[in-house]
Amino acid sequence: MKSLSEKIEHIYLLQEATDYLILFARERNLSAEDLEQRLNRIYQEYEQTGTYWQTNEELTYGAKVAWRNSVNCIGRIGWQSLTVRDLRYLTTAEDIFAAIVEHIKTATNQGKIRPTISIFAPQKPGEEGIRIWNPQFIRYAGYRQPDGTVIGDRDQLELTEICQRMGWKGEGTRFDILPLIIKSPKQPPKLFDLPKEVVMEVPITHPNYSWFADLGLKWHALPAVSDWRLEIGGISYPASPFNGWYMSAEIGSRNFSDTHRYNMLPVVAKKMGLKTDSKLSLWKDRALVELNVAVLHSFAKHGVKIVDHHTASKQFMQHWKEEEKDNRIVPADWGKTIPPISPSTTEVFHQSMENVCLKPNFFPQPIPWHEMSNLSSFAPSIMSCPFHDHLKNTPQAVHHPL
Ligand code: ARG
C-alpha cells in the first residue's frame, strides 16, 4: 500500500514527464506516434523502477528550455546555444571534481566565455542527491575579524568557516578562491582545491583614474552557479552547475558596491574627491557609475567576454520579440531583470512582465549544511564550539544572491 505522499509523488512525476514530452514533441517536431511510443516506454519504466532515464536529446533540450524559463535572467537570448555536458554517469566526488575543472577550462575558453551546463547524476527516488556546497564554482572567501569586520566576501562567511574546519587554510587576502565541497549520497562531503591556473581573473583598472588600480580589486571571469537544482520532466538534477558570462553591473553594482559585500562606494567616492557627507552630492551614484566603467574597461582590456546593461536590455527585448513570434511568453521577474544601475534608461524597465514558473526550470535548494544533523562527523571541531548552532540559526542572506 502506497502512502499518500508516495501517491502524490507518483502522480507528480508522471504528470511532469507527460507535460515535458508534449513540449519536447511540439518544439522538436516529433510525430504523434513517436510521442505516444515514448510516453508508453516512460510509463513502463516508471512502473518497474519508480523513475525513468531521459534520452540525451530530452536532457539537452530540457536544459536549454530551463534557461529560457529562468525568470531572473536578462541574458536568455542565447538559450539555444547552451553547451550541455551529459555527465549523468558520474557519481563520485572525485570524478565530479575532475569534470568541474574541465567545465571551468572549456567554458572560460581564454575569455571567450561559452555558456555551459554540466549535468551530473539525477536524484534517485527516496535518496539524497549529489550536492555541490559552493554557490558558485568560483567564490572568494570571507574571514571574520575579531572586531567584527570582514576581509573578503561577507556572503561567503559560513562556507569559509566550514572549509577551514574541514582543514583548509586560506591565505587571508580579500580574494582567496574557496575550495569546492562536493557531497555524494552516503558519503561525507569532500574538499578539493581548484588549480590556480584554471581560474581566470581580471585586475580592475579605470580608463581615466590611474589610482583605481591601487584599490587592488579583481574579479573572476566565469560566473558559474553550482547550487541550484535542474528539473526536467519531473526528474531532478541537484548537481547541474551552469554558467553564462557576466553583465558588468553584477560586479560593479553588486559584488563591489553592496554594503554587505566589498562595500567599495565610500572608498571610490573619496578617491574621486566627492563630498561623502552630503547626500545631495549623489556621491554613491557617481561612484557606482565609475565602478561599472572600470569593470567594463578591465574585462574588455583582458579579452574577457562581458555585456553592459544597455546591450543586455536590448538583447532581452529582442529575445522577447523572438519568443512572441513562436507564440510564447517570456516569464520574468521584473525586479531581478532590471539592471542595478540606471534602470530607467533601459527598455526592460518600461516593460511589464509576468513572473510565472514554467518548467523545465532551475530551482534554489536548501543550504546543505543547514540541513545536516551530523556535521560533527566530518568536521569534528564543529560540535565542540557554538559554531554548529550558530550556523543553524544564521538567517540566510535574503538579498538577491544572483
Ligand atoms: N550575480 C552573480 C555574481 O555576481 C552571478 C550570477 C549568474 N550571472 C550570470 N551572468 N550568468 O557572481
Side-chain angles (χ1 to χ4, degrees):
M1 216 7 210
K2 282 201 170 91
S3 72
L4 183 61
S5 73
E6 277 169 339
K7 278 186 200 151
I8 291 171
E9 231 170 79
H10 168 104
I11 295 168
Y12 179 81
L13 183 70
L14 292 182
Q15 181 68 57
E16 289 292 321
T18 309
D19 284 351
Y20 175 58
L21 261 295
I22 291 170
L23 178 151
F24 182 80
R26 189 172 57 231
E27 299 190 13
R28 307 299 294 159
N29 299 319
L30 243 63
S31 67
E33 296 80 63
D34 284 351
L35 171 62
E36 195 183 325
Q37 220 176 51
R38 177 64 183 131
L39 279 175
N40 278 328
R41 277 220 206 96
I42 289 177
Y43 300 154
Q44 247 173 30
E45 191 179 339
Y46 176 76
E47 283 309 320
Q48 287 156 8
T49 66
T51 182
Y52 71 101
W53 191 259
Q54 285 162 333
T55 65
N56 176 271
E57 288 72 31
E58 288 162 4
L59 183 81
T60 302
Y61 196 68
K64 293 177 181 184
V65 176
W67 184 7
R68 185 176 85 197
N69 287 336
S70 294
V71 294
N72 299 340
C73 179
I74 194 172
R76 285 178 268 166
I77 192 165
W79 69 273
Q80 290 172 88
S81 65
L82 180 68
T83 298
V84 181
R85 303 172 77 220
D86 180 355
L87 302 171
R88 286 176 291 174
Y89 49 89
L90 297 186
T91 52
T92 70
E94 288 74 15
D95 288 349
I96 290 167
F97 174 68
I100 289 176
V101 171
E102 194 56 30
H103 179 146
I104 294 176
K105 270 194 226 162
T106 58
T108 303
N109 192 27
Q110 277 137 14
K112 295 181 282 302
I113 310 273
R114 288 190 275 234
T116 303
I117 183 167
S118 296
I119 306 176
F120 299 108
Q123 176 136 30
K124 291 201 192 121
E127 282 182 29
E128 55 170 321
I130 305 164
R131 289 294 305 271
I132 300 165
W133 282 21
N134 309 55
Q136 288 193 36
F137 286 164
I138 304 156
R139 289 284 84 175
Y140 296 118
Y143 304 99
R144 197 190 295 281
Q145 303 301 295
D147 66 354
T149 59
V150 169
I151 293 181
D153 194 343
R154 185 181 282 271
D155 256 9
Q156 304 309 321
L157 275 177
E158 281 192 10
L159 186 61
T160 305
E161 282 190 44
I162 290 192
C163 291
Q164 288 171 326
R165 284 173 192 276
M166 287 174 74
W168 178 75
K169 280 194 183 62
E171 284 175 24
T173 77
R174 283 191 294 169
F175 297 103
D176 292 351
I177 294 161
L178 284 167
L180 286 176
I181 301 182
I182 301 167
K183 184 173 178 335
S184 282
K186 303 193 196 94
Q187 294 284 313
K190 293 185 184 158
L191 191 111
F192 302 88
D193 275 314
L194 279 171
K196 267 211 155 55
E197 64 277 9
V198 301
V199 179
M200 192 170 180
E201 295 180 294
V202 177
I204 307 295
T205 56
H206 190 283
N208 313 117
Y209 299 137
S210 57
W211 49 261
F212 217 97
D214 306 332
L215 300 176
L217 295 177
K218 62 173 170 176
W219 204 255
H220 54 88
L222 191 75
V225 174
S226 47
D227 61 351
W228 287 47
R229 175 176 68 85
L230 167 64
E231 190 183 315
I232 302 170
I235 304 293
S236 271
Y237 299 94
S240 49
F242 58 88
N243 76 274
W245 50 75
Y246 265 116
M247 180 172 83
S248 42
E250 298 183 82
I251 307 170
S253 302
R254 302 298 313 278
N255 304 349
F256 286 157
S257 298
D258 281 356
T259 49
H260 63 275
R261 302 291 298 285
Y262 283 79
N263 194 20
M264 293 303 293
L265 291 184
V267 183
V268 172
K270 286 224 176 69
K271 284 274 196 187
M272 288 171 69
L274 301 175
K275 275 189 143 176
T276 53
D277 53 358
S278 156
K279 297 221 174 25
L280 298 187
S281 72
L282 298 187
W283 62 270
K284 285 191 189 179
D285 312 67
R286 296 177 64 183
L288 191 72
V289 169
E290 298 310 332
L291 258 168
N292 275 269
V293 167
V295 169
L296 278 166
H297 166 79
S298 311
F299 271 60
K301 189 170 147 195
H302 286 84
V304 177
K305 173 97 184 168
I306 194 160
V307 66
D308 65 86
H309 51 287
H310 300 291
T311 306
S313 163
K314 210 170 137 214
Q315 291 172 340
F316 182 82
M317 295 313 299
Q318 193 185 332
H319 169 62
W320 190 289
K321 287 204 188 81
E322 280 163 21
E323 288 297 284
E324 249 170 12
K325 263 193 236 142
D326 284 338
N327 290 313
R328 290 192 292 262
I329 66 150
V330 177
D333 181 335
W334 184 86
K336 290 187 184 168
T337 305
I338 61 163
I341 177 168
S342 316
S344 63
T345 65
T346 63
E347 217 180 319
V348 286
F349 179 89
H350 304 278
Q351 174 68 55
S352 69
M353 301 177 187
E354 264 179 89
N355 188 357
V356 288
C357 176
L358 303 181
K359 286 180 188 167
N361 215 324
F362 295 99
F363 297 91
Q365 310 186 80
I367 308 249
W369 57 89
H370 287 194
E371 287 202 305
M372 285 182 78
S373 50
N374 60 338
L375 269 177
S376 60
S377 59
F378 66 91
S381 48
I382 288 177
M383 291 312 275
S384 57
C385 75
F387 173 70
H388 187 200
D389 290 339
H390 139 76
L391 272 189
K392 286 207 139 171
N393 298 333
T394 307
Q396 191 45 33
V398 279
H399 22 263
H400 309 154
L402 296 183

